[in-house]
Amino acid sequence: MEDDFDQTLDSNYGSSHDKVIVHLDADCFYAQVEMLKNPELRTLPLGVQQKNLLVTCNYVARQFGVKKCMLVSDAKRLCPSLILVKGEDLYDYRQMSTKMTLLLQKFSPLVEKLGLDENFVDVTQLVAETLKSDFAGSRNVEGHIYGDITSRCDCGCYERLCVGSQIASEMRKQLKEELGVTCCAGVAYNKLLAKLVCSTHKPNQQTTLFPAGVSDLMLNLNNVRSLPGIGHRTSEILQSLGISSIEQLQNINLELLEHALGRTLAERLKKLSVGADDMVVKPTGKPQSIGLEDGFRKISLESEVKDKCEVLLQRLMILLAEDGRIPGAIRVTVRKYDNSSRYSHRESRQCNIPSSLFLPKVGTLSSNAHNKLLTSIMKLFHKIIDISKPFHLTLLGVAFTKFQERNTGKGSITSFLVKDISVQSVMNFQNISLHGVEAMECSSSKNAGKQSGSTLNYADKSGSESEPEPSPKKTRADFWRGSRKRSLTESDKDSPNKHRSSELRLSTGEPINEVDFSKLSDGIQEELMESCMSLPSLTDKLGISDNSTPNTSMSIEDNFQTNASQKLWKRLGSNQGPQDQ
DNA sequence: ATGGGTCCT
DNA sequence: AGGACCC
């Protein structure tokens, strides 16, 4: 009996309507970030270029027929006045992406990133809390409704998805007000449908899908390639079976499909074709790898390889310091020139590296570690390429993997920083300390300059923030609905929302590198350096998903601005958090 | 294509 | 280490 029951649940899974998933997709993300960096570009046709490819463009440019993934030359021909900005360096995009994800985590801990510009949020819990505490609330849908709604499902999903659409609306409002970013959203009962319905109204709009509209949505897809999960290779195989439309995929014999694709994939695609998807929203944690790549026309000398790798490594060290973990392995990847191949073939080699490289002694930190890493990189390169013969590379990449999370002592500076200082402040703080160590060379890097110089702090309208008082216990449901009805009233000062928004600031725009690292005592210097290379998971320690413990500290930047550094150092040394003032 | 990432085999 | 997938 019980087995039968479980099986019924299993076979239903993926098509049951018990969850509420929101998919958010930032409009032409790279172009938006560039327009926030330089608002004069807003009214002009703007394209973001990587090498000879236009990776995205704003909606002004789209009116000229310019599209994503066009050759730059083609785009220029369509729109001679097109402004082009380089987008090979993803640093600013990554920063904004992080802030978007942090903002969404206020609504649910279940936030999954897909690339830099998309997030899935499972808001099932928040919807349930809202329905419980607000059973008489209005049940209107925010934004568009996709397709049919004449027949209503009786499982309760109508009310849940309505509330989901209201949450999505609030998410988009906050993304716009706090970060300046416009997004599309899709609301549905699984990930597949939320994502598919998201793109039915663009830009800066949202759409909710109810069960009655599912069939239309699926059948209106152009071909099987539009299904997330069917890529280049699988669609070619399907094509060879005579399958190109969703309807054909729905109707093909399962055993025939299994023969071509294997059981696992065949069964998944069959379900996807009718809009069933049982994938859970998996919270995105720290990355499994951090890497940089550079593509080019031709490299055929070992010295060029070494130069390229050195530049990549230098930029990579900054990303590594910001991440805070210590990598256990390094990987080198190359792409060889191959005129006969239509498919870009890569080869890679990796090796373990000693963690001692990242536990620096002050002053000797980097030239040593840097050289050893570069030596490892070149060894790996020689495993792939026999330099006694001519070679022709079109890409080089370096990546760190196998990260270890390091636990820190309770009395350490790291422990203090992680507990009481906002995320971005810690990052800036690392950079300050790195500036003081000659070998790191952060200040000579393009990226290091960006962090203290350019303001990604676009949407910060706040003046000085007073010390927040402990907020009364509020449920998440109270929080998001409350802030929706009265936009920024007095009691919002105490809402988790407000606390988080101060954490979400990227930088104050005030130069902060006057702090003289070398004047600190040796002991403090050493502990700081260690701290910077060993910060444990910041989001975990900061309790970002736990809005019942607001962050009551000043940011470290505020300390730098109001006080000369002396007082801060004293506090750090005595292991006391900043005092309220 | 570009400059990233993911997971599975 | 490569291959599929995602953006």
Side-chain angles (χ1 to χ4, degrees):
Chain A
M1 275 288 257
E2 221 170 301
D3 279 327
D4 286 352
F5 184 64
D6 286 346
Q7 217 159 27
T8 306
L9 278 182
D10 279 350
S11 61
N12 188 30
Y13 213 50
S15 47
S16 72
H17 312 151
D18 52 355
K19 289 184 291 184
V20 181
I21 309 296
V22 180
H23 179 260
L24 291 118
D25 187 340
D27 305 321
C28 54
F29 184 56
Y30 292 2
Q32 266 205 86
V33 173
E34 295 300 337
M35 291 188 295
L36 288 166
K37 284 159 72 176
N38 182 1
E40 286 169 24
L41 298 174
R42 280 209 166 276
T43 57
L44 303 170
L46 172 67
V48 179
Q49 168 185 214
Q50 286 174 344
K51 294 290 165 357
N52 200 27
L53 197 69
L54 194 88
V55 290
T56 193
C57 59
N58 66 6
Y59 278 81
V60 181
R62 288 184 201 201
Q63 294 192 325
F64 290 83
V66 176
K67 295 200 168 122
K68 277 180 173 190
C69 296
M70 259 182 176
L71 291 177
V72 169
S73 47
D74 292 343
K76 265 288 188 187
R77 204 155 30 73
L78 282 168
C79 176
S81 61
L82 185 67
I83 312 283
L84 290 167
V85 301
K86 298 267 188 199
E88 284 115 357
D89 188 333
L90 306 186
Y91 191 90
D92 292 337
Y93 313 139
R94 199 182 285 113
Q95 295 285 325
M96 183 57 83
S97 178
T98 300
K99 290 197 283 184
M100 288 166 41
T101 301
L102 285 172
L103 188 153
L104 294 173
Q105 280 171 343
K106 291 185 297 180
F107 294 84
S108 164
L110 304 180
V111 179
E112 179 179 344
K113 288 176 65 126
L114 193 56
L116 293 182
D117 66 330
E118 293 183 21
N119 287 277
F120 289 100
V121 190
D122 185 330
V123 295
T124 308
Q125 183 71 31
L126 181 51
V127 166
E129 288 169 18
T130 304
L131 282 171
K132 213 159 83 178
S133 69
D134 185 28
F135 50 86
S138 66
R139 294 289 170 260
N140 55 312
V141 177
E142 287 289 329
H144 298 93
I145 295 169
Y146 186 91
D148 207 12
I149 203 176
T150 48
S151 67
R152 251 148 94 152
C153 178
D154 65 358
C155 78
C157 67
Y158 181 80
E159 286 73 20
R160 289 194 292 274
L161 292 166
C162 279
V163 175
S165 76
Q166 292 162 5
I167 293 170
S169 174
E170 175 65 19
M171 288 168 163
R172 291 202 303 127
K173 183 183 159 209
Q174 289 188 22
L175 287 164
K176 178 68 177 119
E177 287 180 357
E178 297 185 23
L179 302 179
V181 173
T182 66
C183 292
C184 287
V187 183
Y189 56 78
N190 69 35
K191 284 173 72 176
L192 198 228
L193 296 170
K195 181 172 166 116
L196 289 177
V197 83
C198 180
S199 56
T200 59
H201 294 279
K202 293 204 286 193
N204 195 20
Q205 295 169 70
Q206 65 177 75
T207 316
T208 300
L209 177 69
F210 296 93
V214 171
S215 179
D216 277 354
L217 178 67
M218 299 312 297
L219 293 173
N220 280 339
L221 295 176
N222 275 331
N223 53 61
V224 290
R225 194 61 247 262
S226 316
L227 275 183
I230 298 185
H232 182 255
R233 197 64 235 276
T234 307
S235 71
E236 274 192 348
I237 296 174
L238 290 174
Q239 195 83 310
S240 74
L241 297 174
I243 300 167
S244 58
S245 74
I246 296 290
E247 195 174 356
Q248 287 170 325
L249 183 58
Q250 287 174 355
N251 293 328
I252 190 173
N253 179 281
L254 180 59
E255 277 155 34
L256 204 69
L257 202 61
E258 282 177 6
H259 191 254
L261 297 173
R263 207 166 89 99
T264 318
L265 188 54
E267 284 180 357
R268 253 199 79 227
L269 295 195
K270 271 294 217 177
K271 289 199 167 195
L272 291 181
S273 73
V274 294
D277 176 23
D278 60 6
M279 295 299 289
V280 299
V281 175
K282 189 191 169 192
T284 302
K286 292 248 185 168
Q288 305 294 305
S289 66
I290 299 177
L292 292 172
E293 292 174 350
D294 191 4
F296 32 75
R297 285 273 171 66
K298 180 175 190 179
I299 278 189
S300 46
L301 295 174
E302 194 195 4
S303 61
E304 294 177 307
V305 172
K306 195 168 180 179
D307 289 349
K308 281 282 183 194
C309 287
E310 186 151 21
V311 172
L312 287 175
L313 180 60
Q314 213 155 292
R315 286 179 53 206
L316 201 46
M317 291 305 291
I318 296 165
L319 299 180
L320 197 63
E322 288 175 1
D323 181 88
R325 292 169 302 170
I326 295 174
I330 191 167
R331 180 172 66 232
V332 170
T333 112
V334 308
R335 184 177 61 205
K336 296 170 176 164
Y337 177 78
D338 182 357
N339 62 12
S340 69
S341 96
R342 17 177 290 131
Y343 187 67
S344 111
H345 180 76
R346 292 154 122 98
E347 286 178 65
S348 69
R349 296 290 185 276
Q350 65 178 289
C351 69
N352 293 339
I353 48 178
S355 59
S356 59
L357 283 178
F358 302 95
L359 299 172
K361 285 234 167 200
V362 172
T364 65
L365 163 70
S366 209
S367 45
N368 223 329
H370 199 280
N371 287 339
K372 285 182 181 170
L373 286 169
L374 195 55
T375 303
S376 296
I377 288 168
M378 291 312 289
K379 274 188 195 165
L380 291 168
F381 169 72
H382 289 301
K383 284 194 189 182
I384 312 174
I385 302 293
D386 178 1
I387 59 162
S388 71
K389 296 171 190 163
F391 62 90
H392 183 334
L393 304 182
T394 62
L395 179 138
L396 274 168
V398 180
F400 289 113
T401 63
K402 295 194 194 176
F403 292 104
Q404 64 180 59
E405 204 63 69
R406 204 256 244 173
N407 47 337
T408 44
K410 274 201 170 167
S412 72
I413 288 176
T414 306
S415 165
F416 160 72
L417 288 173
V418 163
K419 212 170 67 189
D420 290 324
I421 307 283
S422 74
V423 176
Q424 190 53 51
S425 298
V426 172
M427 291 181 175
N428 286 336
F429 185 62
Q430 291 175 39
N431 290 322
I432 296 159
S433 59
L434 295 175
H435 278 292
V437 181
E438 335 149 52
M440 259 333 249
E441 302 274 0
C442 280
S443 55
S444 68
S445 149
K446 190 180 159 199
N447 286 334
K450 275 186 189 175
Q451 286 174 39
S452 45
S454 97
T455 51
L456 263 172
N457 188 18
Y458 317 114
D460 189 1
K461 324 162 281 297
S462 63
S464 66
E465 280 159 32
S466 53
E467 294 302 310
E469 289 159 27
S471 59
K473 180 85 179 171
K474 271 184 168 182
T475 66
R476 268 194 309 229
D478 289 335
F479 143 65
W480 79 262
R481 266 184 295 106
S483 65
R484 210 172 127 255
K485 280 165 187 162
R486 341 162 299 275
S487 66
L488 227 70
T489 60
E490 219 189 312
S491 64
D492 276 329
K493 267 198 304 189
D494 294 337
S495 74
N497 178 8
K498 189 67 179 174
H499 301 143
R500 294 303 169 208
S501 79
S502 65
E503 286 179 2
L504 291 166
R505 273 183 328 201
L506 186 69
S507 82
T508 60
E510 188 77 16
I512 49 176
N513 26 353
E514 299 96 0
V515 175
D516 193 344
F517 184 85
S518 63
K519 288 200 177 131
L520 302 169
S521 79
D522 285 355
I524 293 284
Q525 280 189 27
E526 197 139 349
E527 198 176 345
L528 281 170
M529 284 311 300
E530 250 199 279
S531 300
C532 292
M533 294 311 294
S534 61
L535 293 170
S537 168
L538 289 169
T539 48
D540 289 348
K541 294 286 181 179
L542 285 165
I544 273 159
S545 61
D546 178 5
N547 56 22
S548 67
T549 55
N551 180 339
T552 57
S553 75
M554 294 165 67
S555 81
I556 202 166
E557 302 150 83
D558 294 336
N559 280 317
F560 280 126
Q561 285 171 358
T562 55
N563 275 326
S565 42
Q566 296 294 349
K567 278 190 180 172
L568 173 67
W569 302 125
K570 275 189 197 160
R571 284 174 189 163
L572 291 173
S574 63
N575 192 31
Q576 299 286 320
Q579 314 295 314
D580 290 346
Q581 296 185 348

